Amino acid sequence: MTTHQTSSLLLGLAAIVLLARLLGALARRLHQPAVIGEVLAGIALGPTLFHGAVSDALFPAGVRPLLSALAAVGVAAFMFLVGLEWDAAMIRGSGSLAATVSFSSILLPFGLGTLLALYLMDDYGTGDRTAFMLFMGIAMSITAFPVLARILTDRGMTRSPLGVVALACASIDDVLAWSLLAGVVAVSGAAGPDQWRILLAIPYLLGMLFVVRPLLRRFVERRPALTLTPTVFAAVLVGLLLSAAATEWVGLHYIFGAFLFGVILPRTGGERLRADIHERLGQLSGTLLLPVFFLVAGLQVDLSGLDAGGLGTLGLILLVAVGGKFTGAFAAARLNRMPLRQSAALATLMNTRGLTELIVLNVGLQLGFLGRDLYSLMVVMAVVTTAMAGPLLSWIIGRPADTAVRSGENTAPAHTADTADSANTADTANTVSSTV
């Protein structure tokens, strides 16, 4: 790397961090998740404004591969932290309500997304029609667990019945969505001539769950006072990177390996260790690596040539994304006898897409499931659906100052989590939301 590339990289990173912090703080002042401002920072530095003059000056062509590499590390770290905080207790404490709402809020938008893909096929379709249709269905089905947790934490709702159910639904949604995406990547031939490697994904998964996980649990149980020393932290990072590399090599995306390694780390007995890992890795990821990812994502967004036809397509995308997710979640909640207002609030929360959607969209762009024009419109959809969640929630159940009173309502008869599970869910939400 030349001196010019080094100085350009360091200058560009400084600009990314500064702009992300400024726009993230502005977003919070407007009662929005910081991720909204950080995504807009990436778009602002991209080709949408000034025909890319700012991005060309700050990020020359020789620097961009380095930024992409840092962004990949950031996404892997983020997915590991999401897996680290995924808690099965959320699901157990919510009974059948969380499961039915999650399935309904995925199946309906997934079906509508595939139909939308058929309509958009002529103008935006890629070479693989089946992969394009399936990917559009998945992209419409995403719920961002970390952003949802951030919204609930800011409102003091993580221990409320509505908050517990919402977190459980989003938790199930995450696992289902990642599983669907892994399936699409596996059957699409994205691994190229070495597609046979995908067969190794099954023994890899079984080995992680039934060999590595018990070994890690036994290791932690024998060391109840285990703390995050530099050696332990290095071991965690090595495991994260090796797991991510393994899934990338077999033909899946590296995000799946990073997420899975977070899931298999022991919860019982390792609470202090997990909290320390999240604090140390989360600060680096949230302050530097994820803003770089937003920049890399924003460089692919070009809305400068958006015309009336593009606006019409964007409106249709928003209609399918919002309508499908809201209708599916709302109908399932009502069928489970959840009150009208809380059903609408839950359906609104399930529409938050945030960073999770951006990661999925970038996977689709990298693997050729999406073209840049449709990718740009889908990024706008992710921003809009995330930004609208807070104001809509305030309109439905009141502003945060009123939420404590409303949260005492019986939102889900016969499905309310017990005290222990509610506490676990709240702790998980507070930890995860610090990342965004």
Side-chain angles (χ1 to χ4, degrees):
M1 192 164 65
T2 66
T3 300
H4 177 69
Q5 287 177 319
T6 302
S7 60
S8 296
L9 174 63
L10 297 176
L11 178 63
L13 289 176
I16 292 169
V17 173
L18 179 60
L19 189 58
R21 298 305 294 176
L22 289 175
L23 292 187
L26 177 61
R28 284 192 293 268
R29 289 183 66 86
L30 297 175
H31 306 290
Q32 291 288 342
V35 67
I36 293 294
E38 293 170 351
V39 171
L40 292 178
I43 295 175
L45 292 174
T48 297
L49 301 178
F50 310 113
H51 303 288
V54 176
S55 59
D56 291 341
L58 286 175
F59 315 108
V63 169
R64 296 191 182 189
L66 304 175
L67 293 174
S68 297
L70 283 175
V73 175
V75 171
F78 174 78
M79 291 302 301
F80 164 73
L81 293 175
V82 172
L84 186 69
E85 299 304 329
W86 189 81
D87 187 1
M90 300 181 195
I91 303 171
R92 291 195 301 268
S94 300
S96 62
L97 174 60
T100 53
V101 170
S102 297
F103 279 106
S104 181
S105 66
I106 280 186
L107 290 177
L108 183 58
F110 183 89
L112 293 176
T114 56
L115 292 177
L116 177 63
L118 279 175
Y119 176 77
L120 299 176
M121 189 74 70
D122 292 337
D123 294 327
Y124 298 98
T126 56
D128 192 333
R129 294 170 60 92
T130 302
F132 176 65
M133 292 174 59
L134 293 175
F135 182 82
M136 284 295 291
I138 294 169
M140 294 298 176
S141 307
I142 294 297
T143 293
F145 176 81
V147 177
L148 185 149
R150 174 81 262 175
I151 293 173
L152 293 175
T153 300
D154 289 345
R155 292 171 171 270
M157 294 174 59
T158 53
R159 295 185 188 274
S160 70
L162 175 61
V164 171
V165 171
L167 288 166
C169 292
S171 174
I172 298 173
D173 242 29
D174 262 8
V175 173
L176 290 176
W178 294 127
S179 299
L180 287 171
L181 182 59
V184 172
V185 173
V187 303
S188 67
D194 295 323
Q195 183 66 12
W196 62 268
R197 293 177 182 171
I198 200 67
L199 298 175
L200 300 176
I202 296 176
Y204 164 78
L205 177 62
L206 295 175
M208 292 292 282
L209 293 177
F210 299 109
V211 178
V212 178
R213 186 176 189 175
L215 289 175
L216 290 174
R217 184 186 297 119
R218 193 174 303 125
F219 179 82
V220 171
E221 288 174 350
R222 291 177 178 177
R223 295 164 177 81
L226 184 65
T227 59
L228 191 63
T229 63
T231 300
V232 173
F233 189 50
V236 171
L237 291 180
V238 169
L240 156 64
L241 296 173
L242 288 178
S243 182
T247 52
E248 182 75 22
W249 185 80
V250 301
L252 296 175
H253 201 274
Y254 64 84
I255 60 174
F256 302 112
F259 176 78
L260 181 60
F261 188 70
V263 169
I264 68 170
L265 285 186
R267 297 189 60 84
T268 304
E271 293 82 358
R272 170 71 181 277
L273 181 64
R274 288 171 47 255
D276 289 344
I277 292 173
H278 198 290
E279 180 180 1
R280 189 174 300 183
L281 186 58
Q283 286 184 351
L284 175 63
S285 175
T287 305
L288 175 62
L289 299 179
L290 285 181
V292 173
F293 168 73
F294 294 136
L295 179 277
V296 172
L299 290 178
Q300 305 295 329
V301 176
D302 188 359
L303 301 172
S304 59
L306 190 63
D307 55 13
L311 288 174
T313 301
L314 176 59
L316 190 58
I317 290 172
L318 286 169
L319 179 62
V320 171
V322 177
K325 200 74 173 173
F326 187 94
T327 303
F330 180 81
R334 292 295 290 156
L335 287 175
N336 280 271
R337 302 187 303 279
M338 184 179 252
L340 181 66
R341 188 189 297 272
Q342 279 67 43
S343 296
L346 178 59
T348 299
L349 287 167
M350 296 300 288
N351 250 307
T352 57
R353 288 178 170 84
L355 176 56
T356 307
E357 179 77 14
L358 290 181
I359 293 174
V360 171
L361 294 178
N362 272 272
V363 171
L365 186 65
Q366 292 170 11
L367 299 181
F369 298 156
L370 288 180
R372 284 190 61 175
D373 291 341
L374 185 57
Y375 168 84
S376 298
L377 298 179
M378 294 291 285
V379 168
V380 175
M381 180 271 290
V383 173
V384 171
T385 53
T386 304
M388 74 180 192
L392 278 179
L393 201 61
S394 295
W395 180 65
I396 293 170
I397 63 173
R399 296 192 177 277
D402 305 323
T403 301
V405 177
R406 294 187 183 274
S407 65
E409 298 177 7
N410 187 12
T411 61
H415 296 291
T416 303
D418 59 36
T419 303
D421 284 337
S422 298
N424 290 337
T425 302
D427 294 339
T428 297
N430 291 332
T431 308
V432 171
S433 63
S434 65
T435 306
V436 296

